[in-house]
Amino acid sequence: RYISTFRPSVKCEVAKNKAQWKTMGPAKVAVPSPKNFLQKHSKEPKLPARKKEQDSKKLPALSVPRRTDHPVMGIQSKKNFINTNAVAAITGLPKKPQPIYVDRRQGDKYLLETSGLVPKYIKKKDYGVTPKYVTQRNEEMKRAQKEYEAGILEHLKKRAMKRLSDEERRSLLQGLKKNWEEVYREFQGLSVEIDTIPKKIYKEKLELQMKQLEHDIEVIEKHKVIYIANE
């Protein structure tokens, strides 16, 4: 059978340390004295000691006289208060009565100045003066109008008008008259009796074309100078 070579050393270690496991904790414990018993409020936190108030933090002295103070006796004034009050009443300006208003039958009175019925706005320094925001708005409107007009002028410059020459005007007028003659020839070729709807529609169409051509011819003959916009 196998026997470990460390067996005797292990036995010695076990025998040496076996006495330490016989008790829980140290073998001898100091028994508390019966005089050191737990007292009431002994575990509550204690506040630090109160410091004495310094001279700088003392409260100011009160103006009320103390109980031990005695008034000064024997001081008299030679001032005649009756005459002084009479002179002040004679020479003084009378008080102006405050304007009031009554809005109920019970006679409840209120000050008129704070009621909003007095037109105080007339006495203001800026009464009748145009406010700043109105002048700023008018300036902005004028500036926007100028920018709009400048934009229109720029647009018109880009789309400059072209004047028709006399030859172009004459050829245009001849072409319109030629178209009118062709439409008039078609109108003359209509039947005398218009009894169907297509015939009526065609007749109205020819009449409208003739009226438009006559109007265009009249405008060109009336105006010697004609401008055309370049698109």
Side-chain angles (χ1 to χ4, degrees):
R1 189 176 66 172
Y2 171 76
I3 298 174
S4 176
T5 57
F6 299 101
R7 184 174 183 180
S9 61
V10 171
K11 285 183 177 181
C12 291
E13 291 290 335
V14 170
K16 189 186 295 184
N17 299 326
K18 190 174 183 181
Q20 296 181 2
W21 302 340
K22 288 182 178 181
T23 58
M24 296 295 292
K28 294 181 179 181
V29 180
V31 181
S33 175
K35 295 180 180 180
N36 298 331
F37 59 89
L38 184 65
Q39 298 180 358
K40 186 178 181 181
H41 304 295
S42 61
K43 292 188 177 182
E44 292 182 359
K46 295 182 179 180
L47 296 175
R50 186 176 180 181
K51 296 181 180 180
K52 294 183 179 180
E53 295 182 355
Q54 299 178 1
D55 296 338
S56 60
K57 295 183 179 181
K58 288 183 179 179
L59 296 175
L62 299 177
S63 60
V64 180
R66 296 182 180 181
R67 186 178 56 182
T68 58
D69 294 344
H70 299 284
V72 180
M73 305 297 291
I75 298 176
Q76 296 181 358
S77 177
K78 296 181 180 180
K79 183 178 179 180
N80 192 345
F81 290 95
I82 297 175
N83 295 337
T84 304
N85 293 337
V87 171
I90 294 170
T91 58
L93 296 175
K95 292 184 179 180
K96 294 183 179 180
Q98 292 183 340
I100 58 174
Y101 73 98
V102 180
D103 61 348
R104 298 178 64 184
R105 291 185 298 175
Q106 285 75 8
D108 297 335
K109 298 178 182 180
Y110 303 96
L111 293 176
L112 184 62
E113 186 177 359
T114 58
S115 65
L117 302 174
V118 182
K120 290 185 177 181
Y121 58 90
I122 297 177
K123 300 179 182 179
K124 291 184 177 180
K125 294 181 180 179
D126 56 349
Y127 177 73
V129 181
T130 306
K132 292 182 179 179
Y133 72 92
V134 176
T135 54
Q136 293 178 358
R137 188 181 301 172
N138 293 336
E139 291 177 358
E140 291 176 358
M141 290 175 63
K142 290 179 180 178
R143 193 182 306 111
Q145 183 67 21
K146 289 181 180 179
E147 293 177 357
Y148 175 72
E149 291 177 356
I152 291 176
L153 291 174
E154 189 69 22
H155 182 69
L156 291 176
K157 287 179 181 179
K158 292 180 180 179
R159 297 181 60 187
M161 307 296 287
K162 180 183 177 183
R163 179 178 176 180
L164 288 179
S165 61
D166 294 339
E167 295 179 358
E168 291 176 348
R169 177 176 171 276
R170 195 180 302 109
S171 62
L172 180 62
L173 190 60
Q174 290 177 1
L176 291 173
K177 289 182 179 180
K178 186 178 180 181
N179 292 338
W180 184 85
E181 291 175 358
E182 291 177 358
V183 176
Y184 183 70
R185 191 181 301 109
E186 293 179 3
F187 183 78
Q188 291 291 334
L190 293 174
S191 60
V192 179
E193 186 176 356
I194 307 298
D195 53 354
T196 60
I197 294 175
K199 288 182 179 180
K200 290 181 180 179
I201 294 173
Y202 185 62
K203 181 183 178 184
E204 292 177 357
K205 180 181 177 182
L206 293 176
E207 289 177 350
L208 289 174
Q209 290 180 0
M210 290 172 65
K211 286 182 179 179
Q212 185 64 35
L213 290 170
E214 288 174 359
H215 176 70
D216 295 341
I217 291 168
E218 183 181 358
V219 170
I220 293 174
E221 288 180 347
K222 184 177 180 181
H223 300 89
K224 299 297 181 182
V225 180
I226 299 174
Y227 289 92
I228 298 176
N230 293 328
E231 297 181 357

